[in-house]
Amino acid sequence: MAGSTAPGANIVEVYGPQATQSCLDQAFAFILNPNSSYPQLNSVVAISNSWGGADMTDSSWTSYEQEAAARGITVFASSGDDGNTGNVSPSFPATASYNTYGITAVGGICTTLSGTASTDGTGTTGIQKESVWYNTPNSGDGSQGGVSSVYAEPSWQQNSADANSVITGASSITGLSSGRGTPDVAADGANMEIWITYSGSTGYQELWGTSIASPLTAGLFATMDYYIGHKVGFI
């Protein structure tokens, strides 16, 4: 996904041995290691994370976010895929942002195309409509967000009339008068077809989730960094 919006970029995938917060911290530290044996990690411009859990604080993660911001690295995280559960709680680490450093949380949209479909690139397409990704009746599937009870509303959301009105306007639902709101931006998270070889068979596979949207956005910003000739850092 990142490579599709950043053609020509070096893509480095870093995995933890388990889907836990401690392994997520280890992966972040590995990427930021100044003495890494992987030379590609010496020129990181964007990081995308798809792991998510309950809203929380983590001192190690906070420290790594500060370092990333100081080095001009933009860090993105999927906002979560539980938007159709009735649960208004947002997901960590998408919530982990402060006034001058932190995560850019990426939600999902559903794009409906018009035109003539094809499997070989000869078709014509246009965007008919875009909306929030929200699968019905599939329980759980949908772009997740909300207002954090752990992280305070950062200054850049307080100073935005649009953002602040959404956060305060949701108080009757969230029970919170203010807090860090997610997501910040959104990208394609549904109606996505990829050409893939899996378990010996090759063909189109439908995908959905904010784990698509986050790397798409990270690749887009890597391309922007390259075009303007410098890192944009924390956005």
Side-chain angles (χ1 to χ4, degrees):
M1 291 300 145
S4 68
T5 48
N10 288 318
I11 310 296
V12 182
E13 298 184 11
V14 180
Y15 296 92
Q18 294 178 318
T20 64
Q21 178 57 41
S22 61
C23 290
L24 183 66
D25 289 342
Q26 293 173 29
F28 208 168
F30 183 89
I31 295 170
L32 297 175
N33 180 6
N35 301 312
S36 174
S37 58
Y38 294 85
Q40 298 92 337
L41 293 178
N42 296 325
S43 56
V44 174
V45 299
I47 298 171
S48 175
N49 166 71
S50 288
W51 185 91
D55 200 7
M56 58 173 285
T57 59
D58 180 271
S59 58
S60 295
W61 184 267
T62 300
S63 176
Y64 300 145
E65 284 184 316
Q66 289 176 301
E67 180 180 346
R71 291 171 53 179
I73 300 171
T74 312
V75 187
F76 301 89
S78 304
S79 71
D81 299 342
D82 292 332
N84 195 13
T85 61
N87 182 358
V88 297
S89 298
S91 173
F92 175 91
T95 50
S97 280
Y98 301 86
N99 290 340
T100 58
Y101 64 92
I103 290 291
T104 299
V106 186
I109 60 174
C110 180
T111 301
T112 302
L113 299 178
S114 60
T116 304
S118 73
T119 59
D120 59 4
T122 60
T124 58
T125 58
I127 296 177
Q128 182 178 1
K129 65 177 181 178
E130 290 180 321
S131 60
V132 174
W133 166 52
Y134 186 83
N135 281 0
T136 301
N138 295 341
S139 176
D141 291 346
S143 182
Q144 187 175 347
V147 179
S148 174
S149 60
V150 177
Y151 294 89
E153 185 176 355
S155 59
W156 37 271
Q157 287 191 328
Q158 290 178 330
N159 296 335
S160 166
D162 289 336
N164 191 58
S165 65
V166 170
I167 291 170
T168 58
S171 60
S172 61
I173 301 172
T174 63
L176 302 169
S177 59
S178 67
R180 153 70 163 144
T182 61
D184 300 303
V185 296
D188 279 326
N191 289 1
M192 178 69 69
E193 297 278 345
I194 66 169
W195 182 260
I196 188 174
T197 298
Y198 181 74
S199 296
S201 60
T202 300
Y204 280 101
Q205 176 69 43
E206 182 182 1
L207 298 177
W208 59 87
T210 55
S211 291
I212 294 173
S214 182
L216 281 174
T217 307
L220 177 64
F221 273 81
T223 298
M224 292 167 58
D225 286 0
Y226 179 81
Y227 181 80
I228 63 178
H230 64 83
K231 300 177 182 180
V232 296
F234 178 56
I235 59 168

